């Protein structure tokens, strides 16, 4: 999971490109990229500047697609070749740099609602062997009365109608999820449930928990998010690339135990870094403010960090931070931080650690919008408890006593500051913060001028090239 959202760039530097393959676009551009539907979206909206966002694997077609779209619509097309965060999210920031009025998002998508710009998702029509997928389903579910929900990667959405025609006559209790792409819920539809940009029409009294899940797609972040969210449901999958169906054997209980361990780490943390992992998903500013308020009430210091795509090297620069919380879309929130210097948790896990009113119910939440006021899983912060009346708790990590109560909300009248201290004999004041205190305790604090203490030397020519391969490194033979 770490390689999908976190990368140190080494793979891109070492990757070899085939010029012939990169220059040859697909022969079925009109069908694969739904050119007619995209052109109608641009014309009907009256857009004059449109951003085309492609993932890396589809960039070879970008020039041809942009040229055809400009010819069909008369609008200016701008290709977004790199994304600020995950490619599954709509990059509104890059689109606004060119003044785009709309975005055409190509390839896999997390279907998170956007804040500003109108978006049309074009997933691409990846091939799916309907006959083989039907056979795999029958092998996995021989009982025709089985209650099964069919999930799928968005790139196979075009084939679900045909698959539904094959399976529905034999399996009366099968449910096919529908992609909604930001459409508002319809209150007149009975039994409607929505999750991950998908609509489920469930008739069972227990909801989706009473169904088995059948996923069409390759192994990845989407399947992992589904399995953790519906952790009580048995999962099976069909991989269109290999043509094989299987029962998923991911140890969900072990994965949840790992996430609950991170909750205990967050409970013990004193300094928390809030990582901004999206700038386009609706509600991200609200959840940032919610997390800051939660950490302030819990007596923890927080720093908001915007570092782009997080990787171990970037986050290792913030040694004073005890734990990070990543605010990202539902698919990219589950960052595998085993290679990181400090753990990375989700907003839901931070709430479990800091909000005494929220208890673990077995339902795991990956969408941070579910935590906001008015959402289905929002839990109000309890009132403040005086320190002398608070019930202490024992840390499961360190074995030390720790407080679990919340402080009162900050008032408009600031109390006398306790973060100011005398710095020297001239009575100058210095503000004490966790970051400053940590810097004072380090033996190396960065480059220092040391004026008059170092000898003057003549300038000499240094090494040439890039850090990964200097020019003089390839001369020696092993």
């Amino acid at each position: 999971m770490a390689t999908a959202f976190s990368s140190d760039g080494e793979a891109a530097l070492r990757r070899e490109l085939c010029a012939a393959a990169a220059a040859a676009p697909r022969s079925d551009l009109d069908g694969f990229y739904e050119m007619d539907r995209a052109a109608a979206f641009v014309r009907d909206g009256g857009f004059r500047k449109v951003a085309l966002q492609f993932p890396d694997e589809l960039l070879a077609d970008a020039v041809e697609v942009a040229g055809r779209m400009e010819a069909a619509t008369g609008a200016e097309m701008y290709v977004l070749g790199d994304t600020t965060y995950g490619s599954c999210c709509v990059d509104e920031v890059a689109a606004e740099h060119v003044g785009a009025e709309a975005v055409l998002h190509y390839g896999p998508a997390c279907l998170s609602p956007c804040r500003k710009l109108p978006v049309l998702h074009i997933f691409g029509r990846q091939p799916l062997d309907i006959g083989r997928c039907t056979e795999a389903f029958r092998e996995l579910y021989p009982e025709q009365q089985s209650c099964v929900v069919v999930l799928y990667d968005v790139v196979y959405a075009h084939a679900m109608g045909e698959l539904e025609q094959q399976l529905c006559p034999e399996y009366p209790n099968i449910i096919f999820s529908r992609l909604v792409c930001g459409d508002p819920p319809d209150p007149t539809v009975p039994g409607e449930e929505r999750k991950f940009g998908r609509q489920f029409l469930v008739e069972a009294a227990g909801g989706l928990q009473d169904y088995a899940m059948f996923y069409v797609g390759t192994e990845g972040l989407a399947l992992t998010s589904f399995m953790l969210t519906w952790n009580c449901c048995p999962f099976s999958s069909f991989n269109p690339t290999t043509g094989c169906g299987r029962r998923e054997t991911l140890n969900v209980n072990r994965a949840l135990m790992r996430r609950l361990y991170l909750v205990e780490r967050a409970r013990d943390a004193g300094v928390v870094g809030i990582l901004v992992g999206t700038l386009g998903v609706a509600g991200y500013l609200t959840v940032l403010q919610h997390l800051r308020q939660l950490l302030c009430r819990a007596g923890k210091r927080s720093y908001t960090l915007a570092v782009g795509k997080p990787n171990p090297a970037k986050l290792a620069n913030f040694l004073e931070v005890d734990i990070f919380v990543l605010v990202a879309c539902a698919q990219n929130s589950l960052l595998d931080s085993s290679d990181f210097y400090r753990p990375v948790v989700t907003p839901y896990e931070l709430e479990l650690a800091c909000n005494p009113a929220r208890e673990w119910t077995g339902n795991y939440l990956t969408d941070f919008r579910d935590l906001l006021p008015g959402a289905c899983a929002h839990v109000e912060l309890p009132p403040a408890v005086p320190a002398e009346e608070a019930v202490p708790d024992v840390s499961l990590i360190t074995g030390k006593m720790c407080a679990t109560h919340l402080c009162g909300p900050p008032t408009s009248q600031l109390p006398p500051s306790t973060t100011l201290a005398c710095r020297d004999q001239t009575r100058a004041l210095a503000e004490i913060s966790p970051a400053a205190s940590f810097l004072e305790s380090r033996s190396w604090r960065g480059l220092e001028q040391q004026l008059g203490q170092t000898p003057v030397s003549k300038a000499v020519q240094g090494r040439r090239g890039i850090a990964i391969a200097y020019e003089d490194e390839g001369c020696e033979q092993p």
Side-chain angles (χ1 to χ4, degrees):
M1 285 188 293
T3 57
F5 192 58
S6 303
S7 173
D8 57 3
E10 182 178 354
L13 290 173
R14 295 183 179 275
R15 184 170 52 202
E16 295 182 1
L17 296 179
C18 178
R26 298 174 184 270
S27 59
D28 57 340
L29 284 179
D30 292 340
F32 187 86
Y33 290 107
E34 304 179 59
M35 303 291 286
D36 294 337
R37 186 167 73 97
F41 169 77
V42 176
R43 287 194 299 263
D44 295 344
F47 306 124
R48 305 309 305 167
K49 284 187 177 182
V50 181
L52 310 182
Q53 180 178 340
F54 291 85
D56 291 345
E57 60 270 18
L58 299 180
L59 271 179
D61 303 332
V63 175
E64 183 69 19
V65 172
R68 295 193 185 187
M69 287 295 298
E70 286 186 342
T73 63
E76 295 182 62
M77 300 291 163
Y78 294 87
V79 176
L80 307 182
D82 190 15
T83 56
T84 308
Y85 298 102
S87 61
C88 64
C89 300
V90 177
D91 195 349
E92 288 187 327
V93 175
E96 289 178 337
H97 287 168
V98 297
E101 301 169 354
V103 178
L104 296 179
H105 184 279
Y106 294 93
C110 58
L111 303 179
S112 300
C114 299
R115 298 189 307 125
K116 301 177 182 179
L117 300 178
V119 178
L120 176 66
H121 288 283
I122 300 177
F123 308 117
R125 298 173 176 267
Q126 295 291 350
L128 176 65
D129 188 342
I130 300 296
R132 182 67 193 96
C133 184
T134 303
E135 294 177 3
F137 186 91
R138 291 170 179 156
E139 294 172 0
L140 292 168
Y141 301 99
E143 177 57 48
Q144 294 186 350
Q145 297 300 319
S146 301
C147 296
V148 185
V149 171
V150 177
L151 298 166
Y152 47 89
D153 195 337
V154 294
V155 297
Y156 304 106
H158 67 96
M160 288 301 107
E162 185 178 353
L163 182 63
E164 186 174 0
Q165 294 177 359
Q166 295 288 334
L167 293 177
C168 281
E170 302 179 29
Y171 296 86
N173 297 322
I174 192 173
I175 295 177
F176 277 77
S177 58
R178 311 291 182 190
L179 302 182
V180 290
C181 298
D183 298 333
D186 188 355
T188 63
V189 178
E192 179 188 16
E193 293 189 26
R194 290 199 176 190
K195 202 75 174 177
F196 299 107
R198 292 162 171 82
Q199 178 193 57
F200 308 89
L201 299 179
V202 183
E203 298 179 357
L208 292 174
Q209 302 294 338
D210 293 340
Y211 285 78
M213 300 290 182
F214 179 74
Y215 177 75
V216 180
T218 58
E219 185 177 357
L221 286 173
L223 179 57
T224 303
S225 299
F226 294 158
M227 295 184 68
L228 286 180
T229 301
W230 296 297
N231 51 72
C232 295
C233 303
F235 268 79
S236 59
S237 67
F238 174 76
N239 190 332
T241 304
T242 62
C244 298
R246 69 175 187 181
R247 299 192 184 276
E248 290 298 327
T249 57
L250 171 67
N251 193 334
V252 177
N253 290 332
R254 184 173 182 178
L256 289 175
M257 289 172 62
R258 166 65 181 170
R259 306 309 304 188
L260 292 177
Y261 165 77
L262 296 180
V263 171
E264 295 298 325
R265 291 288 300 270
R267 188 172 285 127
D268 292 345
V271 181
V272 180
I274 304 176
L275 296 176
V276 182
T278 178
L279 295 177
V281 178
Y284 89 94
L285 289 175
T286 306
V287 80
L288 287 178
Q289 183 60 32
H290 172 72
L291 293 177
R292 293 191 192 103
Q293 178 187 5
L294 175 65
L295 292 170
C296 180
R297 293 283 306 275
K300 303 179 186 296
R301 180 67 65 93
S302 65
Y303 295 95
T304 303
L305 308 172
V307 296
K309 298 179 182 179
N311 59 49
K314 287 181 181 178
L315 300 189
N317 291 315
F318 306 98
L319 295 179
E320 63 273 19
V321 175
D322 297 323
I323 201 167
F324 296 93
V325 53
L326 176 62
V327 178
C329 68
Q331 288 190 17
N332 286 326
S333 293
L334 291 172
L335 182 63
D336 184 5
S337 59
S338 57
D339 295 332
F340 287 66
Y341 183 70
R342 293 285 190 244
V344 182
V345 300
T346 66
Y348 172 66
E349 292 165 353
L350 188 68
E351 272 236 347
L352 283 174
C354 300
N355 187 354
R358 181 177 293 278
E359 298 180 354
W360 170 249
T361 61
N363 297 324
Y364 191 87
L365 304 176
T366 56
D367 191 345
F368 63 75
R369 293 174 296 139
D370 294 338
L371 308 176
L372 299 178
C376 58
H378 175 68
V379 176
E380 291 286 346
L381 296 177
V385 177
E388 58 273 8
E389 299 180 8
V391 178
D393 194 11
V394 178
S395 169
L396 299 180
I397 305 297
T398 64
K400 298 179 180 179
M401 301 291 290
C402 58
T404 58
H405 67 285
L406 295 179
C407 305
T411 59
S412 57
Q413 295 182 354
L414 296 177
S417 177
T418 59
T419 62
L420 296 179
C422 178
R423 183 171 58 185
D424 50 35
Q425 295 181 356
T426 61
R427 310 302 296 175
L429 295 179
E431 183 177 0
I432 300 176
S433 68
S437 301
F438 185 84
L439 181 61
E440 288 293 328
S441 64
R442 296 179 65 173
S443 59
W444 187 79
R445 303 174 187 175
L447 298 178
E448 300 178 356
Q449 289 183 331
Q450 297 182 352
L451 296 178
Q453 302 179 24
T454 55
V456 179
S457 59
K458 294 183 179 181
V460 296
Q461 184 175 354
R463 308 176 77 178
R464 302 183 61 181
I466 60 176
I468 196 173
Y470 290 106
E471 292 181 356
D472 58 347
E473 289 184 344
C475 299
E476 299 179 359
Q477 296 295 332

